[in-house]
Amino acid sequence: MLASYFLGGLMSVHRPYLMHPIPDDPSRAEPSRSSHSRKVRNSSRERCIELAIELVRLLCSVWDFPNSVPATLQCNFFYTYSIFDGAVALAGALSQTPPHPRAAECLELMDRAMKLLKDCVS
């Protein structure tokens, strides 16, 4: 639980920069922005995606071993919200042009997250 709080919190810090485009040509970048601020925005975007991947992978792995988690924690609000939140961030990675280099992994984890959420409903 602590790991998911930590990963979810960090992901939320970086999320505002998730949909900022990567400037492929420095001359097309906004003139008021320094090259340092462009690097920071890009690194936050990548960090958000990495954290989302790690969060969804962690929560899915917990689901794979249901006996390791007390029944009161299985499918509770925080668990389902965290997996949904991570999957939404992964959807942001998939909506990038050009596609994110780890797009296939993001799609696979999104599928796992949606199956897990479906299992929580039933």
Side-chain angles (χ1 to χ4, degrees), residues 9-107:
L10 279 177
M11 185 181 69
S12 295
V13 167
H14 293 284
R15 180 170 310 157
Y17 303 101
L18 178 64
M19 299 310 291
H20 282 262
I22 299 173
D24 51 5
D25 180 11
S27 64
R28 290 178 50 205
E30 296 175 26
S32 63
R33 306 282 186 195
S34 68
S35 62
H36 175 70
S37 68
R38 282 192 308 270
K39 283 183 184 177
V40 170
R41 281 190 301 178
N42 292 339
S43 64
S44 280
R45 176 179 167 163
E46 292 303 312
R47 187 70 179 132
C48 182
I49 295 167
E50 290 170 9
L51 290 164
I53 288 171
E54 196 171 342
L55 177 64
V56 173
R57 184 176 287 131
L58 170 75
L59 294 175
C60 286
S61 70
V62 168
W63 190 256
D64 292 339
F65 300 100
N67 295 335
S68 66
V69 179
T72 56
L73 293 179
Q74 292 176 358
C75 291
N76 69 2
F77 172 78
F78 179 75
Y79 183 82
T80 53
Y81 175 79
S82 296
I83 195 102
F84 174 77
D85 195 30
V88 168
L90 293 175
L94 292 174
S95 67
Q96 297 178 5
T97 305
H100 191 271
R102 295 175 74 180
E105 181 181 9
C106 292
L107 186 59

